[in-house]
Amino acid sequence: MSGNTAMNDWLKAFNLDRPLLIAGPCSAETEEQVLATAKALQNTDTNVLRAGIWKPRTRPGNFEGVGALGLKWLLKAKRETGLLTTTEVANPIHVDLALKHEVDILWIGARTSVSPFAVQEIAEALKGTNKIVLVKNPINPDLSLWLGALERFYKTGIEQLGAIHRGFSSYKDSLYRNIPEWQIPIDLRQELPDIPLILDPSHIAGDRKLIFDLCQTALDLNYNGLMVETHPNPDQAWSDAKQQITPETLAAYTRELKVRKKSSSNQDYETSLRRLRLQIDKLDEQLIQILIDRMQIADKIGAVKKTHNVAILQPERWQAILQKMINLGVDKGLAEEFVYRLFQAIHQESIAHQQKILHTTSAKQANSH
């Protein structure tokens, strides 16, 4: 797949001088709501109208979409406004119905992309259509699953592809409904440099107050587009009310968002960037050496624990270190989540080093007998 520019031919065909904008309600609720949203979005930079027709919920009993009836509303909105349409499909039956109602773009949800079996069934149902398919990242932070889902469509002849970054679930409390994990879509881009990358800030945020900053971050990272949940009366929405914004707010956001240049030929820029990058390179080398020194001390701690038959994990000591470092980092302007994850990784590596010392010693003793 890498190096195949056919993946972004569909986006080039839009001939846009700004990022692609997909907008519309989390769920199609009534014909009036879908049409009102579509007509309001005509006054914005929106290119594609989105609406959930089938809504897989975490637990049954919540609103799970109006079903195929909503496809008729999408088609009517398309014909009256000229906006293209997109919706989520989760099985071959959804695909068949969406195609019959002239849905232009299909997206694969996070709960579907996590299942290779489901993705393969949808890919087979789309074989021969050359439809535009956007694949959301799986709910768990697994780059291979995301790549695998995209590859399954590509191998069945669906080359007009895109990736939607909607964040990842986490067992830890966070500012976000789904943590962004920005490095994962960056890594996806390393693997597939030609694939269009679209941010879904609504599902990352879970809170409309966070949407603008997430959109700006995506544009700062050269994303190709945004998919924003938009509703005429968000507080009355039948699903995910807190993360939806009005078409008027969307229009204001798109006026304020800044699209960055990929680079600059300005000499001052080049000189300053080169100098600062040299400083970063030097500090990175120092960081690696500090980590090496730290792990060497962890090896010595492992040896002491082995001698005295003490368990590797000391929860009270670990919690004290973690809280101290979080407090220090936050006080100096670092994000709490960053410090937490950094020292969690350091702690895991320290445990691995101590385990190696204990196991190596045990193996030598066993061999000596």
Side-chain angles (χ1 to χ4, degrees), residues 105-341:
I105 301 172
L106 306 179
W107 87 74
I108 310 303
R111 289 179 174 85
T112 304
S113 60
V114 78
S115 170
F117 292 108
V119 171
Q120 189 63 45
E121 286 182 354
I122 297 169
E124 293 293 339
L126 282 167
K127 194 170 184 178
T129 65
N130 200 29
K131 205 70 176 172
I132 300 170
V133 177
L134 308 179
V135 180
K136 288 195 174 186
N137 64 256
I139 53 175
N140 47 315
D142 188 329
L143 176 60
S144 293
L145 268 178
W146 200 1
L147 284 167
L150 289 160
E151 288 168 350
R152 287 180 184 277
F153 285 103
Y154 186 82
K155 288 185 176 181
T156 54
I158 305 298
E159 294 188 349
Q160 297 192 110
L161 293 168
I164 301 176
H165 173 207
R166 51 81 74 194
F168 303 85
S169 62
S170 172
Y171 67 89
K172 185 177 179 291
D173 290 339
S174 171
L175 174 66
Y176 303 104
R177 176 181 177 184
N178 295 289
I179 54 177
E181 296 276 15
W182 295 103
Q183 189 59 45
I184 294 178
I186 290 171
D187 291 343
L188 180 79
R189 262 278 176 75
Q190 288 292 108
E191 295 284 338
L192 302 173
D194 297 305
I195 197 162
L197 184 57
I198 297 165
L199 183 78
D200 174 352
S202 306
H203 278 90
I204 292 176
D207 182 341
R208 64 178 65 98
K209 294 191 297 291
L210 303 173
I211 287 175
F212 180 86
D213 286 343
L214 286 165
C215 290
Q216 187 59 66
T217 299
L219 298 185
D220 294 345
L221 294 171
N222 293 320
Y223 278 51
N224 302 99
L226 305 168
M227 176 189 272
V228 185
E229 291 191 349
T230 313
H231 192 289
N233 191 353
D235 289 332
Q236 300 303 314
W238 295 2
S239 58
D240 290 346
K242 293 180 180 179
Q243 68 191 38
Q244 299 190 65
I245 61 176
T246 65
E248 294 75 20
T249 300
L250 178 69
Y253 282 1
T254 54
R255 286 193 297 269
E256 295 174 26
L257 288 168
K258 293 181 174 60
V259 180
R260 312 294 187 185
K261 297 182 293 185
K262 290 190 176 181
S263 187
S264 172
S265 57
N266 181 277
Q267 189 58 49
D268 288 341
Y269 164 82
E270 293 287 353
T271 301
S272 297
L273 195 63
R274 191 181 305 112
R275 175 174 53 81
L276 292 169
R277 282 175 171 171
L278 285 172
Q279 294 177 29
I280 286 285
D281 291 346
K282 184 176 180 180
L283 287 170
D284 285 345
E285 291 172 3
Q286 292 174 1
L287 278 173
I288 290 295
Q289 187 57 55
I290 289 170
L291 289 172
I292 290 170
D293 294 344
R294 193 188 194 285
M295 295 309 154
Q296 288 175 346
I297 295 173
D299 290 341
K300 293 177 181 178
I301 290 174
V304 171
K305 288 178 179 177
K306 174 63 180 178
T307 299
H308 296 277
N309 195 32
V310 175
I312 292 174
L313 182 61
Q314 303 290 312
E316 292 181 1
R317 163 71 176 166
W318 160 234
Q319 287 301 320
I321 291 174
L322 182 61
Q323 195 57 56
K324 178 182 178 181
M325 293 301 103
I326 286 175
N327 292 342
L328 179 61
V330 170
D331 186 57
K332 299 297 183 181
L334 295 177
E336 179 177 344
E337 179 78 10
F338 168 72
V339 179
Y340 172 83
R341 296 179 66 185

Side-chain angles (χ1 to χ4, degrees), residues 41-60:
L41 289 174
Q42 283 185 290
N43 299 319
T44 71
D45 291 332
T46 301
N47 309 108
V48 183
L49 172 68
R50 60 143 287 152
I53 302 299
W54 302 277
K55 299 296 298 180
R57 311 304 290 175
T58 302
R59 300 181 66 180

